[in-house]
Amino acid sequence: MDFGSIIDAAFSNAFGPQAIVFALAAIGLNIHFGYTGLLNFGQAGFMAVGAFGLAVAMVRLDLPLPVGILVGLVASAVLALILGVPTLRLRADYLAIVTIAAAEILRLVFGAVETKAVFGGSNGLNGFTETWNSLNPYSKGIDVGFASWSRNDLWAMTVGWVVVALCCLLTWALMRSPWGRVLRSIREDEDAVRSLGKNVFLYKMQALMLGGVIGGLGGIFFALKQASVVPSDYSTNLTFFAYTALLIGGAARVLGPVVGSMIFWFLISGLGAFFSQATSGIDPLIPASVMTDTQASLIRYILMGLGLMLLMIYRPQGIFGDRKEIALDAR
Amino acid sequence: MRLRTAALFSVMMAGLVFLATPASAETTSPSPGPSASAPASDAPVTGPAIRVRLLDQQEGKAGNNPPPVPGVTVTVSDDSDTEIGRAVTNDAGVAAVAIPGKGKYSVSIDESTLPDGVKLTGKKTLDVSVNLTSGQNVAFPLNGKVVEATPFVERFVDSVVSGLKYGLIIALAAMGLSLIFGTTGLTNFSHGELITFGAITAYFLNSTLGLPVILAGILTIGIGGLFGWGQDRVLWRPLRSRGTGIIAMMIVSIGLGLLLRNLYQFFFGASTRSYTDYTSQRARDYGLFDLSDKEVAIMVIAIVTIGIVATIMTRTRLGKAMRAVSDNPALSASSGMRVDGVISSVWTMGAALSALAGVLLGLNSQVNFMMGYQLLLMVFAATILGGLGTVWGAVLGSLIIGVITEVGPLLGVPGSIKEVGALVVLILILLIRPQGILGRAERIG
Amino acid sequence: MPVDITSAREALAALPNDPGVRKPDPIVVGDDITRTFGGLKAVDVQHIEIQRGVITALIGPNGAGKTTLFNLLTGFDVPDSGSWAFNDQSLAKVPAYKVARLGMVRTFQLTKVLSKLTVIENMRLGATGQRGEKFFPSIFKAFWRAQEDEITSRADDLLARFKLDKKRGDFAGSLSGGQRKLLEMARALMVDPELIMLDEPMAGVNPALKQSLLGHVKSLRDEGRTVLFVEHDMDMVRDISDWVIVMAQGQIVAEGTPEAVMADQRVIDAYLGAHHDADLSEMDEEALAAQVEAEINAEENEA
């Protein structure tokens, strides 16, 4: 067993581009769920709209990268508007179902044969990263001993972590302000807030749009770092995993989603590498009669499901959350 | 048959290439029949070639082996319309034209060379893109049923019936979801896994232990109920007594769903499998629609089950208690022994119904570790459409969702993503009548 | 500007004790307000006027429609029909938050303090017209720091007045029932309302705190605000109200000064006749469970 490569996989992914995608998605969810109490189960949809906004603008309309990014962000803001107008007046669990349904509709439409001319069918779109790659200042990858990244990863990480830091800064500034105070109050009791003369609907809409746009940013980053947009990447599982990351770190904490995403990817990659090694080779640690390597690749998701349940039951505030100040009253 | 030809036709239209499926097309199995690969030895040409196979698909004449149509001339041209070669079909109905390699070609059939009584039912020229070095097989539909000729009414009725069947299966699962929501307030995101549990359990009993499908199905209902009872006992009841909030429980159910889904895949694998019996059956013609015997059986079983549930809910003490707990959230919140007992029964019944839904779904199509998860959104849609927490609403909502899903493609919903129609309707309904069709408006203040 | 209480009371005392009687200086006027729940008329008020600058009590048995009327007047519920105005401005179809901004602020029967916010944050939330509550200005503290300081000092004054200053930094969830009622009232004052509507301010408050709460309600009137409150506690109604409106089965059945109303036969009838149709939502769970059990048994016996 090569523990070095397991540690390498775990750390490389904990700090790598994939963790950044999740961090952005989870920061958006933190604004929705952690601070405002909105159950958005369609974050994958916001990400997909951001990613396809970018890709369609650049591939089909030949627009430059900055315009593509703008299109992606505007598209996710528009999605928030379209979903929010009708559902923000409904019960919290209805918002959950409408957003999950909307995200599925988007994924199906993006991947459909009938819309292939625009969205590229199930293979999606690629060929929009020329500008992105040309801006890469790095000439080669890096190996720091316990982790290693390629040249492209390094570039994505540089931009990505700066964007994550800016989003965290924005969240911090907003949540210490009276605006954030209104959001946290809505999370607890929106009727009380309404009785004090605040337009609750407007605040919820602003929160939904802000979190959706940050999710869209996550989708755009996802598209750029893997140089393609594939509809099946934006399934509901993506939303569920982003929630898991958020809850690991702790909802309603500025850095909760970031730390949570890093831990999530550390565990997923570390466990993945461990079980992959344990079942491969001539004389595997775990014999094939116990589990095959295909089965072994599932263990991490089984543990993730179990972990999410246990986390929710025994430590709903996450690792860094304060039990007194969270949306989840699990007691 | 009609659906089959329609599928074949649309596949050809899309520029893909298929070998003619003979009259095994009468089976309802969605997978291509075993005769889908043509023996290459039929053709004298070696190397890359386009092989055209012509079979007379006329009903009645066909049987299981549609007769080949010899003596027909076919022409192959390349991308720039230059003729590459032509050939005449041999006794096996096969004509092979050698081609230079991969690329785009068009294949035409000379209608004047068709024997009397044989008519072309599709396009005269097909665009073919050859992606394999060995070449490509091509078929022209001859004497098939012409899709356009099927009256809209008939296609509509066929879709409605197929939608009702789909809706009845959803209804079984939706009643369970609705009951559980009504009594415990839990929006259960692992409900799909109860459906998959049924399908996989029945597969295990049937395929591994060798029990007949019907016996396996009946046993599965019991095992499914036990699974639900145990789940409530081990997980949900302790959470309720801890006073865990409904949102926290919802997220626990997401975790449980993830756990179960991957466990299923761990043990069952990622492949799609069938029960040992009733995999392919001929559809009978019932006038305006066709149904195979197993489809009729699925619908009858579902209707009878819904009837039994209706009787339990209205006639028995347990059923009345379930409705009472479901109607009065205040009551279900106060957790006495009696309420816990009722909730236990609800979980048992809900899980048993969902397991049955899984068995029927597996019987209708096939078994897969994702099947319940893929149906979950439809079940949610049905439950909300009818009114969360109302059992009759769940049944009504399911039938509507089923029919919309199947009829949608006739009304312009892209066929490859027909679920979209149902989901859009779900969202629209929530906007117009958030409490659902049979739900009661909430009292504020 | 405070109204002269004595002369206002005299003017009211001269009015006939009829339901929907016209007042000399009404702040709220409502006509033909109806609201049905599943065929049951919860509220059916032909005419209602609330006198400015005095304390009006709204009483009636359980299920009389008092809280529903509160919800309708403040925009928390939508009536089937009716029109009503606050300071001559029509409020039909005006959303709840605008009603509050106009100066008509309510509290709730089940206290709605924000448990996971501190007491002072609860108070600050009440202030209206905050620049820092707008999305873009909120990002930079410079835009809202000065106003926040001003709001905080106003909040601290009110907390001192309501004897909550020692709890300033505590989570509101840690307060007792009575303290929550006080906090809710103080928070409502942060909006600076002309009319403050209290839904059962005494419910769940221990007797020791009741007297001080009564004092606070009176002080609201004495600083010039109009008070409308729903209450069951007849002693309180007698003690502090200047005018009493009695509701039963959704309608106003009587009005008058506390003394006159207590002696009114219609009021006594309304209370005595109320036991049979108590509102389900206000029954406690045990009673409900028992009722459901009884219904099941009854159906069982039929079958």
Side-chain angles (χ1 to χ4, degrees):
Chain A
M1 171 120 350
D2 178 6
F3 281 101
S5 71
I6 294 173
I7 289 169
D8 188 278
F11 277 104
S12 301
N13 278 301
F15 294 93
Q18 200 59 35
I20 295 170
V21 173
F22 272 57
L24 289 170
I27 289 172
L29 286 179
N30 198 23
I31 288 165
H32 291 155
F33 176 69
Y35 290 107
T36 323
L38 298 174
L39 271 176
N40 169 22
F41 275 176
Q43 190 70 331
F46 287 97
M47 297 170 79
V49 161
F52 273 98
L54 169 89
V56 169
M58 292 185 70
V59 176
R60 301 289 187 224
L61 306 174
D62 272 336
L63 296 169
L65 179 66
V67 183
I69 292 174
L70 195 67
V71 170
L73 293 180
V74 169
S76 41
V78 169
L79 177 65
L81 206 63
I82 293 172
L83 289 181
V85 166
T87 52
L88 288 179
R89 295 176 208 276
L90 301 180
R91 263 171 30 190
D93 45 351
Y94 282 179
L95 178 70
I97 306 234
V98 168
T99 46
I100 207 173
E104 276 298 286
I105 291 174
L106 287 168
R107 184 178 66 84
L108 289 169
V109 169
F110 287 151
V113 178
E114 290 84 350
T115 58
K116 200 171 179 185
V118 185
F119 303 116
S122 56
N123 293 329
L125 293 170
N126 52 39
F128 49 81
T129 46
E130 200 180 319
T131 320
W132 168 257
N133 290 335
S134 71
L135 292 170
N136 188 347
Y138 300 103
S139 54
K140 58 184 172 56
I142 190 172
D143 191 336
V144 291
F146 60 88
S148 57
W149 296 283
S150 71
R151 172 175 175 266
N152 285 340
D153 283 351
L154 272 185
W155 171 229
M157 284 160 65
T158 309
V159 177
W161 285 117
V162 168
V163 172
V164 168
L166 289 175
C167 288
C168 286
L169 194 66
L170 180 67
T171 312
W172 170 79
L174 285 168
M175 292 310 157
R176 67 161 181 173
S177 78
W179 187 81
R181 180 164 66 214
V182 177
L183 290 199
R184 283 180 288 135
S185 306
I186 290 172
R187 181 187 71 199
E188 283 199 54
D189 193 328
E190 54 180 88
D191 274 347
V193 179
R194 211 170 268 135
S195 78
L196 296 170
K198 321 286 178 203
N199 187 350
V200 169
F201 178 77
L202 180 74
Y203 285 101
K204 281 191 188 176
M205 182 59 95
Q206 288 175 343
L208 188 66
M209 289 179 77
L210 176 64
V213 166
I214 295 177
L217 205 54
I220 291 169
F221 181 77
F222 196 0
L224 289 173
K225 77 111 186 154
Q226 72 172 18
S228 68
V229 191
V230 184
S232 59
D233 282 344
Y234 300 89
S235 70
T236 304
N237 266 344
L238 179 61
T239 306
F240 289 165
F241 286 150
Y243 261 98
T244 309
L246 172 64
L247 293 167
I248 290 174
R253 294 273 135 188
V254 171
L255 293 177
V258 181
V259 177
S261 301
M262 293 168 75
I263 297 174
F264 179 90
W265 277 99
F266 182 88
L267 292 175
I268 282 278
S269 311
L271 288 170
F274 173 80
F275 280 102
S276 154
Q277 285 199 16
T279 51
S280 65
I282 305 157
D283 184 20
L285 186 70
I286 304 170
S289 56
V290 177
M291 69 173 84
T292 64
D293 52 349
T294 325
Q295 288 177 319
S297 68
L298 297 170
I299 297 284
R300 53 185 166 160
Y301 295 111
I302 294 173
L303 292 175
M304 199 52 69
L306 193 64
L308 181 58
M309 290 170 71
L310 295 175
L311 190 69
M312 228 36 256
I313 296 169
Y314 294 108
R315 209 177 157 79
Q317 71 272 39
I319 291 171
F320 300 102
D322 180 352
R323 190 159 246 193
K324 285 199 202 100
E325 211 229 335
I326 52 152
L328 288 155
D329 223 342
R331 271 185 289 256
Chain B
M1 174 73 191
R2 204 161 43 240
L3 282 174
R4 192 73 197 143
T5 320
L8 186 65
F9 189 76
S10 64
V11 164
M12 290 185 157
M13 286 291 127
L16 296 171
V17 180
F18 233 67
L19 191 73
T21 33
S24 68
E26 284 189 2
T27 64
T28 50
S29 160
S31 60
S35 53
S37 54
S41 59
D42 278 4
V45 181
T46 52
I50 285 179
R51 295 179 183 81
V52 180
R53 190 176 199 199
L54 297 178
L55 298 169
D56 185 350
Q57 292 169 344
Q58 188 167 38
E59 220 170 348
K61 201 196 279 186
N64 272 326
N65 285 310
V69 182
V72 182
T73 310
V74 291
T75 314
V76 175
S77 309
D78 70 5
D79 219 4
S80 54
D81 267 349
T82 316
E83 188 177 313
I84 291 181
R86 55 176 66 203
V88 177
T89 53
N90 60 15
D91 287 345
V94 176
V97 178
I99 50 171
K102 295 185 207 176
K104 287 188 175 172
Y105 301 91
S106 65
V107 183
S108 306
I109 183 166
D110 186 350
E111 280 186 275
S112 61
T113 59
L114 286 170
D116 288 344
V118 176
K119 267 207 217 131
L120 187 66
T121 39
K123 276 208 267 184
K124 200 173 88 174
T125 303
L126 295 177
D127 290 328
V128 178
S129 58
V130 177
N131 300 318
L132 301 169
T133 40
S134 60
Q136 194 68 271
N137 295 320
V138 181
F140 287 90
L142 297 176
N143 278 352
K145 277 199 183 171
V146 183
V147 176
E148 285 87 348
T150 314
F152 180 83
V153 178
E154 200 164 324
R155 279 186 294 151
F156 185 80
V157 172
D158 223 6
S159 302
V160 169
V161 171
S162 142
L164 286 176
K165 180 190 70 185
Y166 187 46
L168 282 167
I169 297 176
I170 295 176
L172 294 176
M175 284 196 297
L177 184 78
S178 189
L179 271 173
I180 292 168
F181 176 85
T183 47
T184 66
L186 171 68
T187 310
N188 185 9
F189 276 91
S190 63
H191 198 81
E193 278 57 54
L194 294 175
I195 302 172
T196 316
F197 181 84
I200 290 185
T201 305
Y203 177 83
F204 172 76
L205 294 174
N206 166 242
S207 194
T208 313
L209 299 187
L211 300 180
V213 171
I214 294 173
L215 183 61
I218 293 169
L219 285 176
T220 297
I221 298 171
I223 299 171
L226 208 62
F227 181 54
W229 178 83
Q231 209 183 90
D232 180 53
R233 220 36 203 271
V234 172
L235 179 63
W236 302 112
R237 188 189 285 192
L239 287 185
R240 280 197 303 277
S241 51
R242 281 164 65 105
T244 305
I246 55 164
I247 291 175
M249 283 214 267
M250 189 191 289
I251 295 173
V252 170
S253 81
I254 290 174
L256 179 64
L258 193 61
L259 171 73
L260 289 176
R261 229 163 21 251
N262 285 289
L263 273 180
Y264 294 158
Q265 193 186 350
F266 189 96
F267 291 111
F268 187 80
S271 57
T272 300
R273 307 181 205 180
S274 301
Y275 298 131
T276 52
D277 269 324
Y278 315 114
T279 42
S280 56
Q281 274 188 343
R282 287 180 182 219
R284 286 182 203 278
D285 195 336
Y286 290 88
L288 281 173
F289 55 91
D290 297 351
L291 280 179
S292 65
D293 289 350
K294 73 167 177 186
E295 289 177 298
V296 174
I298 287 169
M299 293 174 79
V300 169
I301 292 170
I303 291 169
V304 168
T305 308
I306 291 169
I308 292 171
V309 174
T311 315
I312 292 175
M313 295 300 285
T314 51
R315 293 292 160 96
T316 69
R317 186 180 169 79
L318 178 66
K320 284 172 199 165
M322 285 181 190
R323 275 191 297 148
V325 175
S326 182
D327 284 351
N328 292 290
L331 185 67
S332 62
S334 69
S335 49
M337 282 302 291
R338 206 181 61 82
V339 174
D340 258 346
V342 171
I343 292 176
S344 243
S345 326
V346 164
W347 265 100
T348 311
M349 198 164 105
L353 286 169
S354 305
L356 176 60
V359 175
L360 296 184
L361 195 62
L363 200 58
N364 186 52
S365 42
Q366 279 169 311
V367 182
N368 170 301
F369 77 98
M370 288 272 282
M371 58 193 286
Y373 183 60
Q374 283 160 344
L375 197 69
L376 180 67
L377 218 46
M378 291 286 133
V379 177
F380 269 132
T383 315
I384 289 182
L385 192 63
L388 262 178
T390 63
V391 176
W392 309 128
V395 174
L396 182 65
S398 302
L399 295 179
I400 294 174
I401 287 290
V403 170
I404 290 172
T405 306
E406 295 296 328
V407 173
L410 290 185
L411 306 172
V413 179
S416 67
I417 50 169
K418 57 187 179 183
E419 292 86 358
V420 166
L423 296 179
V424 169
V425 168
L426 162 72
I427 293 178
L428 290 179
I429 284 281
L430 275 180
L431 309 188
I432 301 160
R433 199 177 152 81
Q435 72 271 33
I437 298 170
L438 295 185
R440 280 175 308 190
E442 267 182 89
R443 178 167 170 174
I444 309 164
Chain C
M1 64 238 109
V3 181
D4 179 359
I5 308 295
T6 327
S7 62
R9 279 189 172 172
E10 277 167 13
L12 287 174
L15 296 175
N17 288 356
D18 293 336
V21 66
R22 314 268 156 178
K23 312 285 180 336
D25 182 17
I27 189 167
V28 171
V29 180
D31 283 294
D32 301 316
I33 304 170
T34 60
R35 177 73 168 105
T36 46
F37 292 115
L40 198 81
K41 275 207 171 167
V43 166
D44 184 7
V45 169
Q46 285 181 346
H47 188 79
I48 185 170
E49 290 188 4
I50 311 292
Q51 172 72 3
R52 187 189 310 276
V54 300
I55 301 178
T56 304
L58 187 59
I59 65 168
N62 277 338
K66 306 178 299 283
T67 295
T68 308
L69 182 62
F70 250 50
N71 289 341
L72 293 172
L73 291 178
T74 50
F76 278 84
D77 193 0
V78 183
D80 303 330
S81 69
S83 63
W84 66 105
F86 173 71
N87 276 337
D88 296 326
Q89 181 173 357
S90 170
L91 288 187
K93 289 186 182 142
V94 174
Y97 75 93
K98 281 190 182 159
V99 173
R101 282 185 196 171
L102 286 170
M104 186 167 159
V105 175
R106 68 169 301 181
T107 65
F108 296 87
Q109 191 179 344
L110 299 168
T111 328
K112 288 187 187 292
V113 297
L114 305 161
S115 314
K116 288 164 186 166
L117 265 61
T118 60
V119 168
I120 187 72
E121 284 283 82
N122 262 277
M123 293 296 288
R124 287 182 184 132
L125 179 71
T128 48
Q130 297 190 41
R131 279 188 290 279
E133 286 183 354
K134 292 197 165 65
F135 182 78
F136 289 107
S138 75
I139 299 170
F140 303 101
K141 201 172 183 178
F143 287 116
W144 47 268
R145 183 187 284 137
Q147 195 188 22
E148 184 84 345
D149 290 347
E150 179 261 320
I151 288 167
T152 307
S153 83
R154 199 150 61 85
D156 278 329
D157 289 349
L158 277 168
L159 285 180
R161 174 177 154 193
F162 283 84
K163 308 251 181 329
L164 286 170
D165 42 345
K166 287 198 188 68
K167 299 280 179 187
R168 188 182 192 273
D170 294 1
F171 282 110
S174 68
L175 299 182
S176 72
Q179 287 170 327
R180 286 174 192 224
K181 288 279 182 198
L182 283 174
L183 175 58
E184 209 186 7
M185 208 183 287
R187 192 178 63 189
L189 288 181
M190 288 297 290
V191 188
D192 197 18
E194 243 187 294
L195 169 63
I196 183 159
M197 300 171 64
L198 309 169
D199 198 349
E200 302 203 18
M202 293 295 156
V205 177
N206 71 51
L209 245 159
K210 271 194 182 168
Q211 213 49 45
S212 94
L213 245 169
L214 280 182
H216 287 305
V217 175
K218 274 192 209 164
S219 74
L220 296 178
R221 174 192 61 192
D222 296 341
E223 67 187 22
R225 303 182 203 277
T226 308
V227 179
L228 174 67
F229 73 101
V230 170
E231 193 47 75
H232 283 299
D233 185 336
M234 280 304 156
D235 290 333
M236 175 181 175
V237 172
R238 200 177 350 238
D239 270 9
I240 63 165
S241 54
D242 302 308
W243 188 257
V244 179
I245 298 176
V246 187
M247 285 184 77
Q249 290 168 346
Q251 296 179 322
I252 295 177
V253 292
E255 285 194 40
T257 57
E259 300 75 22
V261 162
M262 300 290 169
D264 194 318
Q265 189 57 41
R266 284 172 297 191
V267 178
I268 296 162
D269 287 349
Y271 269 85
L272 286 179
H275 294 296
H276 298 295
D277 47 340
D279 190 340
L280 256 182
S281 67
E282 291 175 16
M283 280 168 68
D284 62 2
E285 283 161 7
E286 240 173 80
L288 195 62
Q291 186 180 325
V292 171
E293 180 80 23
E295 275 171 26
I296 295 170
N297 283 329
E299 272 192 63
E300 186 88 322
N301 293 336
E302 278 171 38

